[in-house]
Amino acid sequence: GMRAAHDFAAVARYLAPGDPEVVAYLERVDQADRLRELNRAAERALQAGDLGESGGGALALFRQVLAERPGQPRAMQGMAAVESAMIRRAELAADAADYRLADEWLGHAARVRPGFPTVDDARRRLEGVRAAHVRRLRDEGVDALPRINGVSVARARLAEIIAIADPGDPVANDLRERIDRAVHYGDFRPGQVF
């Protein structure tokens, strides 16, 4: 391994310092050392949660290795781990109903390994979480409407939906229409005789 390489390098440096093959070999040993140190530093940054989404961190260090040695397996694995840590942060944000932050983290993750399906899969999954949350709020609003103070409960649910849904979300529009009907017609529904 590397120890044998270093022993050999020490002997070669002494016996044939000017030999171009020896020089090339020594450069390779030095590069291997440097890349190993970069990978280690990157892995420490990753452990510390310094992912590098806004520059520096684990991401920049792994990228440095791959710039020198494209496809280097340890750095490639590191990039996958960074992407996965970013997706995890997106999931935690979604669990806390902060879908905007979740989306930001997915955006960062998408730039780590473009062309891999991992982030798209995560995006679909978190979209499902958000849609289920929106539907649950709508159902709570609809259930509240016939009760006393139901309109104000339903309006509160609608405000929560608007905060997390896309503009013009059909579920939000549906609840808004039901609230309007409840306000205008009281217990009557359109088409009923007053």
Side-chain angles (χ1 to χ4, degrees):
M2 283 310 292
R3 174 151 315 132
H6 284 133
D7 291 346
F8 182 75
V11 173
R13 211 172 246 132
Y14 176 70
L15 291 180
D19 184 321
E21 273 184 41
V22 169
V23 170
Y25 178 80
L26 296 176
E27 277 169 7
R28 279 201 306 279
V29 171
D30 288 345
Q31 188 199 43
D33 284 344
R34 194 170 61 256
L35 297 185
R36 199 173 61 248
E37 280 317 306
L38 283 171
N39 272 325
R40 273 193 190 144
E43 285 155 6
R44 281 196 300 273
L46 179 59
Q47 289 303 122
D50 180 8
L51 304 182
E53 66 283 356
S54 43
L59 196 51
L61 292 163
F62 284 130
R63 279 193 174 136
Q64 213 178 318
V65 173
L66 292 169
E68 282 198 50
R69 287 272 287 282
Q72 206 256 4
R74 186 170 172 183
M76 295 286 283
Q77 222 176 334
M79 293 289 276
V82 168
E83 180 195 67
S84 161
M86 288 177 173
I87 289 171
R88 183 75 196 113
R89 290 200 184 170
E91 288 167 346
L92 291 170
D95 288 346
D98 191 341
Y99 300 103
R100 270 189 202 88
L101 182 60
D103 209 52
E104 252 173 66
W105 278 113
L106 289 177
H108 293 312
R111 290 191 288 278
V112 176
R113 301 191 308 159
F116 281 82
T118 349
V119 177
D120 288 336
D121 293 345
R123 187 165 270 135
R124 270 194 298 278
R125 204 165 57 242
L126 295 190
E127 212 27 76
V129 170
R130 178 166 76 152
H133 187 183
V134 166
R135 283 195 304 272
R136 188 172 68 248
L137 290 169
R138 193 263 322 264
D139 293 346
E140 288 172 13
V142 170
D143 291 347
L145 274 178
R147 304 201 192 110
I148 295 179
N149 292 331
V151 168
S152 63
V153 172
R155 280 186 175 140
R157 292 299 170 274
L158 179 59
E160 288 180 69
I161 289 172
I162 289 166
I164 64 174
D166 288 323
D169 185 290
V171 175
N173 292 338
D174 172 64
L175 181 55
R176 190 182 284 110
E177 282 165 20
R178 288 167 186 262
I179 291 169
D180 289 346
R181 278 205 301 272
V183 169
H184 288 117
Y185 300 103
D187 290 335
F188 292 97
R189 291 287 167 266
Q192 284 185 313
V193 180
F194 283 86

